[in-house]
C-alpha cells in the first residue's frame, strides 16, 4: 500500500519549531536548538516525501497545542544532550536517534517499526522474491548455522550441500557468535562472487570444505504436486512479488499432468506469515469470479479502500480446501477469509494467527523507512479478524492434544496488540456482521473427516506426505465430496 499524501501545509514548519522562542536564555536556546534539530532528524525525509510529517504535527497540535509540543521536544533534547555528555561510554548520535525512533514506533503496536537503510534493503530483497546468494534454507542450532535444505538448481545444491549440514565457518571465519541474520547477510552477495564454506557433516571425520559461486536465487514460493493423480496440492510459503505468478504456473502444470482427472485442489497456507497485500488480493481473485475480496479501514473514513474480484477462476470451479493453522497470518488470512466468506473453499485446520492490521512501508529518503500500522482489514462479510483469527469450517488437528505442550502465541498474546473492532462496535451498540452462509455439504461428507490423528500415528515428517494428518483429511474430503456430488462443485451464489 502507498503512503498518505501530504495535506495543504497549514502547519508551522520545523524551522518555526527551532526559532519559535528566540527571547529565551542562552542555555534554553541551546536546548531548544537541539530539540529542533532532533525533530528535524525524525521527520526530515517525511517533509520532502509524501508521508507522515503533516498528519503527525496536526495530531500533536490537536492533542495539546503548540506550547505542549515545544515542551515535549525540549524534553527530548534535554535527554539527548544528557546521554551524549554523561553516558558511561561514547555513543553514536545515529544509534541514539534510531533507538528513539524504534521505541516510538514499537510502543504503538507489535508490527510498527523503524528500518535503517540496511534493514530496508533486506526487506526489499525479501519482497522481490529474488536475491544474490547460495540457495540454502538455514536455521540456527547451538550457535552455529544449520542447513534445513538446499534449494533445487542453486549453487548450494550443485555443490552438494545437504540437509543437516552445520556451517561452522564462512571464508575461514567462525559462525559461532553470529546471529542468523548476520550469517545470512554474509552468504548473500553479488552474482559471480565466491565464498568458502566449512561444513561439519554427520558421518564425516573431517570438516568438508566447499567453494561456491553466488548466483541469482529465486526461492520456490509455490510448491506443488498431485496427490494420487486426482487432487492438486499447492503450498504457498509467503506472499512476495512472485507468489501469484507461481500459483498460476502450479495450477496450470498440475491440470496438464492430471489430464482432466482432477477432483479438487488443496491450497496450503499453514505457517505462511503473510507479505504483500496486493499479492493476497490477486491470489484470492484467481479463485473468485466476482464480489469483494477485502476492505481496509483507516483512521480517516476517506482513506478506506476496497478490492473486488474480476471474472475468471484458474481452478475452473473445482472444489477447494484451504489449510490454515496458528502460523497463518495477515495475507494468508485475507485469502482464507475471502474464500471462506464466498463459500468458494472449505477452510480446514485450526484457528489462524489473527493479524488483521495493515502496515504501510514509508520510505524516508536517505534514512531507511518506517513500517507503520495504517489500517485494519475486513473480510467480505465485514469481519475483522484482528486478535481473533479465522476459525476453520472444519477443525482438524495436526497432532493429538498434549496438555503439556507449550501453546503457540497468537496476535492476541502480543504486547500492545490492537483490539478487535467488535469490542468497540458492541459498546456503540452497532449490529455485528451477518453470520456466514452454511456450507451446504452433501450428507455424510463432513462427518467422515477425522478430527484427531489416530493413537500411535507416525510423527509428522515433511518429506512423507502420508504423515501429514491435516493434508490427508483435506484430500480425502475432496474425494468424498466429488463422489457425493458426481461432478464439480456448484458455485455458491454471491
Amino acid at each position: 500500500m502507498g503512503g498518505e499524501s501530504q495535506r495543504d501545509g497549514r502547519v508551522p514548519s520545523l524551522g518555526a519549531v527551532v526559532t519559535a522562542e528566540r527571547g529565551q536564555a542562552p542555555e534554553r536556546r541551546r536546548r531548544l536548538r537541539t530539540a529542533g534539530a532532533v525533530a528535524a532528524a525524525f521527520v526530515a525525509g517525511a517533509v520532502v516525501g509524501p508521508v507522515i510529517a503533516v498528519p503527525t504535527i496536526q495530531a500533536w497540535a490537536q492533542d495539546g497545542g503548540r506550547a505542549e509540543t515545544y515542551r515535549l521536544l525540549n524534553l527530548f533534547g534535554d535527554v539527548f544532550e544528557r546521554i551524549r555528555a554523561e553516558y558511561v561510554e561514547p555513543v553514536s548520535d545515529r544509534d541514539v536517534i534510531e533507538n528513539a525512533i524504534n521505541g516510538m514506533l514499537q510502543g504503538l503496536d507489535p508490527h510498527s517499526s523503524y528500518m535503517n537503510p540496511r534493514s530496508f534493503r533486506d526487506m526489499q530483497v525479501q519482497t522481490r522474491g529474488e536475491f544474490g546468494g547460495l540457495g540454502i534454507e538455514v536455521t540456527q542450532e547451538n550457535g552455529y548455522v544449520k542447513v534445513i535444505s538446499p534449494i533445487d538448481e542453486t549453487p548450494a545444491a550443485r555443490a552438494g550441500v545437504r540437509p543437516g549440514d552445520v556451517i561452522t565457518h564462512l571464508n575461514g571465519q567462525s559462525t559461532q557468535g553470529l546471529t542468523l541474520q548476520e550469517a545470512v547477510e554474509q552468504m548473500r552477495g553479488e552474482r559471480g562472487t565466491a565464498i568458502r564454506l566449512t561444513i561439519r557433516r554427520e558421518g564425516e571425520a573431517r570438516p568438508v570444505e566447499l567453494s561456491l559461486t553466488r548466483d541469482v536465487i529465486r526461492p520456490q514460493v509455490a510448491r506443488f504436486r498431485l496427490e494420487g493423480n486426482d487432487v492438486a496440492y499447492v503450498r504457498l510459503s509467503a506472499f512476495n512479488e512472485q507468489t501469484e505468478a507461481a500459483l498460476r504456473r502450479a495450477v496450470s502444470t498440475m491440470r496438464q499432468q492430471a489430464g482432466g482427472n482432477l477432483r479438487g485442489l488443496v491450497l496450503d497456507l499453514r505457517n505462511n506469515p503473510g507479505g504483500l497485500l496486493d499479492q493476497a488480493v490477486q491470489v484470492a481473485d484467481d479463485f473468485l469470479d466476482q464480489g469483494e475480496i477485502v476492505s481496509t479501514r483507516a483512521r480517516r473514513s476517506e482513506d478506506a479502500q476496497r478490492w473486488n474480484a474480476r471474472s475468471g477462476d484458474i481452478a475452473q470451479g473445482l472444489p477447494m480446501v484451504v489449510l490454515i493453522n496458528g502460523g497463518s497470518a495477515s495475507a494468508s488470512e485475507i485469502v482464507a477469509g475471502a474464500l471462506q466468506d464466498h463459500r468458494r473453499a472449505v477452510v480446514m485446520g485450526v484457528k489462524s494467527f489473527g493479524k488483521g492490521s495493515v502496515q504501510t512501508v514509508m520510505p524516508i529518503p536517505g534514512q531507511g523507512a518506517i513500517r507503520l500500522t495504517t489500517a485494519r482489514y475486513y473480510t467480505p462479510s465485514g469481519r475483522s479478524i484482528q486478535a481473533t483469527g479465522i476459525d476453520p469450517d472444519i477443525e482438524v488437528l495436526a497432532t493429538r492434544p498434549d496438555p503439556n505442550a507449550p501453546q503457540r502465541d497468537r496476535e492476541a498474546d502480543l504486547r500492545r496488540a490492537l483490539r478487535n473492532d467488535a469490542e468497540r462496535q458492541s459498546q456503540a451498540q452497532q449490529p455485528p456482521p451477518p453470520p456466514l452462509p452454511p456450507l451446504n455439504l452433501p450428507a455424510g461428507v463432513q462427518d467422515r473427516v477425522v478430527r484427531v490423528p489416530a493413537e500411535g500415528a507416525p510423527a509428522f515428517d515433511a518429506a512423507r506426505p502420508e504423515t501429514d494428518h491435516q493434508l490427508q483429511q483435506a484430500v480425502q474430503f475432496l474425494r468424498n465430496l466429488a463422489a457425493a456430488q458426481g461432478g464439480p462443485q456448484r458455485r455458491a451464489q454471491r
Side-chain angles (χ1 to χ4, degrees):
M1 293 179 62
E4 299 167 350
S5 59
Q6 199 164 352
R7 305 298 178 189
D8 59 10
R10 291 174 292 181
V11 181
S13 69
L14 289 175
V17 174
V18 178
T19 61
E21 300 186 26
R22 291 183 174 173
Q24 303 297 324
E27 173 66 12
R28 179 144 180 96
R29 287 202 305 271
R30 181 187 63 78
R31 292 182 177 178
L32 198 55
R33 282 197 299 272
T34 299
V38 170
F42 271 119
V43 294
V47 173
V48 176
V51 296
I52 314 171
V54 172
T56 302
I57 298 175
Q58 285 176 335
W60 285 344
Q62 292 168 358
D63 286 344
R66 295 178 185 175
E68 177 69 4
T69 299
Y70 301 149
R71 188 187 70 80
L72 293 173
L73 288 174
N74 193 50
L75 169 64
F76 185 92
D78 286 345
V79 173
F80 180 69
E81 286 291 336
R82 195 67 57 87
I83 291 171
R84 296 178 74 191
E86 299 184 26
Y87 186 66
V88 63
E89 295 178 352
V91 292
S92 159
D93 288 357
R94 173 173 290 277
D95 288 344
V96 173
I97 295 295
E98 287 185 356
N99 288 337
I101 297 172
N102 234 334
M104 177 168 56
L105 289 163
Q106 291 177 353
L108 300 173
D109 65 75
H111 308 295
S112 295
S113 63
Y114 170 70
M115 295 177 284
N116 62 28
R118 183 176 181 180
S119 299
F120 184 36
R121 286 194 299 271
D122 288 344
M123 185 275 297
Q124 292 173 308
V125 165
Q126 293 173 9
T127 57
R128 279 199 306 269
E130 62 179 44
F131 51 86
L134 306 177
I136 317 175
E137 296 179 20
V138 295
T139 186
Q140 198 159 40
E141 187 175 284
N142 299 325
Y144 288 107
V145 178
K146 185 174 182 178
V147 176
I148 299 174
S149 175
I151 300 171
D152 292 342
E153 303 300 323
T154 64
R158 290 191 288 268
V161 176
R162 301 176 187 174
D165 283 351
V166 176
I167 302 173
T168 62
H169 293 76
L170 297 170
N171 286 331
Q173 300 295 315
S174 175
T175 58
Q176 184 80 36
L178 293 179
T179 66
L180 186 61
Q181 181 62 30
E182 288 170 339
V184 168
E185 287 174 358
Q186 289 191 29
M187 288 187 281
R188 286 182 180 169
E190 293 294 326
R191 177 182 185 181
T193 58
I195 186 171
R196 190 173 75 258
L197 272 57
T198 305
I199 289 173
R200 189 175 68 234
R201 179 174 293 165
E202 188 174 354
E204 298 282 350
R206 293 186 173 184
V208 177
E209 297 281 344
L210 297 175
S211 293
L212 295 83
T213 301
R214 297 180 180 93
D215 201 349
V216 175
I217 307 301
R218 297 178 178 86
Q220 191 174 356
V221 71
R223 300 181 184 273
F224 61 94
R225 63 177 179 267
L226 287 177
E227 293 286 333
N229 201 43
D230 63 345
V231 174
Y233 169 81
V234 57
R235 165 167 167 69
L236 300 182
S237 59
F239 286 86
N240 61 33
E241 293 177 7
Q242 314 296 326
T243 300
E244 195 264 345
L247 171 66
R248 282 182 167 269
R249 287 194 298 269
V251 173
S252 175
T253 299
M254 288 186 289
R255 185 173 291 282
Q256 292 175 5
Q257 292 173 345
N261 296 323
L262 286 182
R263 297 189 182 189
L265 184 148
V266 177
L267 179 62
D268 189 351
L269 299 178
R270 291 174 297 177
N271 297 318
N272 182 323
L276 299 176
L277 175 60
D278 67 330
Q279 289 290 304
V281 170
Q282 291 178 42
V283 167
D285 192 3
D286 281 344
F287 300 108
L288 294 171
D289 277 327
Q290 60 181 354
E292 182 179 308
I293 295 172
V294 67
S295 62
T296 62
R297 302 175 198 172
R299 181 173 174 176
R300 294 182 293 273
S301 58
E302 63 266 26
D303 293 329
Q305 293 183 279
R306 188 182 309 272
W307 288 265
N308 294 308
R310 298 162 297 179
S311 179
D313 173 4
I314 63 173
Q316 299 178 14
L318 281 173
M320 285 183 63
V321 168
V322 175
L323 288 175
I324 61 170
N325 65 4
S328 306
S330 193
S332 298
E333 294 172 296
I334 289 175
V335 173
L339 299 183
Q340 182 183 54
D341 281 14
H342 287 291
R343 288 304 182 209
R344 175 62 186 92
V346 174
V347 177
M348 191 176 291
V350 296
K351 184 193 286 284
S352 64
F353 184 78
K355 181 181 175 295
S357 60
V358 178
Q359 282 67 49
T360 301
V361 175
M362 302 175 174
I364 303 176
Q367 302 294 332
I370 66 171
R371 180 188 287 112
L372 188 67
T373 300
T374 54
R376 288 179 168 89
Y377 72 74
Y378 296 79
T379 69
S381 65
R383 291 181 294 159
S384 167
I385 56 88
Q386 170 61 25
T388 60
I390 296 287
D391 286 307
D393 299 309
I394 303 175
E395 184 182 57
V396 178
L397 305 185
T399 60
R400 294 185 66 81
D402 180 358
N404 297 318
Q407 296 295 312
R408 185 171 194 166
D409 283 345
R410 286 187 164 85
E411 174 79 7
D413 301 314
L414 301 181
R415 191 179 180 190
R416 299 189 182 92
L418 297 176
R419 293 188 305 168
N420 189 282
D421 261 4
E423 299 178 32
R424 295 186 298 177
Q425 291 171 348
S426 176
Q427 293 171 358
Q429 298 183 339
Q430 296 177 357
L436 296 179
L439 286 174
N440 288 331
L441 297 172
V445 171
Q446 184 170 345
D447 297 336
R448 297 172 69 179
V449 176
V450 181
R451 177 177 175 272
V452 181
E455 191 170 355
F460 171 71
D461 181 349
R464 299 170 57 205
E466 66 272 16
T467 65
D468 187 340
H469 179 70
Q470 292 172 320
L471 171 59
Q472 294 307 314
Q473 292 305 304
V475 170
Q476 193 57 50
F477 170 83
L478 289 170
R479 289 172 178 157
N480 293 339
L481 180 61
Q485 291 179 328
Q489 183 184 36
R490 288 178 296 178
R491 303 295 295 280
Q493 293 295 318
R494 293 190 280 278

